[in-house]
Amino acid sequence: MKIVNYPHPALRVKARPVTTIDKEVQLAAGGMLELMYRHEGLGLAAQQVALDFQMIVINFAGDPEQQDKEVVAINPVILEQKSVFKDREGCLSFPGLYQDIRRAKTVRVQAYNLRGEPFEMVCSDLAARIWQHEIDHLNGVLFIDKMGPLARMGSKKMLEEFIAEFEEGVQKGTIPPGTEMKL
C-alpha cells in the first residue's frame, strides 16, 4: 500500500459505500493509519491509496502515540456546516503544496466505525477542516478544486511538476499503465 500522488486517476474516483466490514476493510484501515503516520499526515482517504470505497482515517493530533485521537470512519457524511474560515491546507497526495482554502468552521459528521456502529461528531477549526478535506476525497474532489484564482496561479508550477513526474513514472513503468483501482 502506498499513497498515490496527483494526477493519479484514483484521486478522481467517487468512492462506493462500504456494505460489509470484512477483514479486507479492517486491514486497509490499519495500513492506511500506518501510512498516514509515516508521512506525518492528519488524515487519509481510501482513494489516496487507490482503494475505491468510502473509508477515511484521521488522527486529529497527528501523533501515533495518541491513539485516543484516532478515527476510522466508514461511509462518512457531513450533516451540517456552520460559518466559514480560510486557513492553510495541504494534502499527502500533493507533497509540499500548501495554500489557503475556505472551509466551514464547524461541521457535524456521521459515519460508522470498524465495528459497524454509527457515530456522530461535531468539530470546529482544524478538526472540521480535516473531515471536509477527507470526505471531499471520497467524492473525487481535491483541495486544489477549492483554491481561489490567486492560490491556483501560485500553485501552477508545482501542479505541472506533479503531472510531469506522474507521466515520467508511467513511461518508466514505476506507475502501472492504466493505474486501475484496487478492489
Side-chain angles (χ1 to χ4, degrees), residues 92-126:
L92 294 177
S93 292
F94 294 81
L97 179 60
Y98 299 92
Q99 286 292 349
D100 284 345
I101 305 292
R102 230 178 260 287
R103 298 271 187 192
K105 184 170 178 55
T106 302
V107 295
R108 182 167 62 98
V109 296
Q110 181 182 59
Y112 293 89
N113 64 23
L114 282 174
R115 293 181 301 280
E117 302 162 340
F119 68 92
E120 276 191 25
M121 191 179 285
V122 175
C123 299
S124 294
D125 304 315
L126 178 61

Side-chain angles (χ1 to χ4, degrees), residues 40-105:
E40 299 178 357
L42 299 173
L44 190 65
Q47 282 76 350
Q48 292 179 274
V49 294
L51 296 171
D52 73 339
F53 51 84
Q54 293 181 16
M55 182 169 68
I56 61 178
V57 297
I58 296 171
N59 184 314
F60 298 108
D63 181 355
E65 299 300 314
Q66 294 185 45
Q67 290 184 354
D68 60 317
K69 303 279 195 264
E70 263 178 20
V71 175
V72 175
I74 296 169
N75 301 339
V77 291
I78 296 173
L79 301 174
E80 191 177 352
Q81 300 182 45
K82 291 182 183 173
S83 201
V84 174
F85 80 121
K86 194 177 192 178
D87 203 359
R88 189 170 152 96
E89 194 168 311
C91 179
L92 294 177
S93 292
F94 294 81
L97 179 60
Y98 299 92
Q99 286 292 349
D100 284 345
I101 305 292
R102 230 178 260 287
R103 298 271 187 192
K105 184 170 178 55

Side-chain angles (χ1 to χ4, degrees), residues 158-183:
M158 278 192 85
L159 293 174
E160 289 169 351
E161 289 170 8
F162 286 126
I163 292 168
E165 286 172 22
F166 182 82
E167 289 171 350
E168 183 180 322
V170 170
Q171 286 175 350
K172 287 183 174 178
T174 57
I175 297 174
T179 58
E180 286 80 21
M181 296 290 291
K182 297 176 197 163
L183 301 175

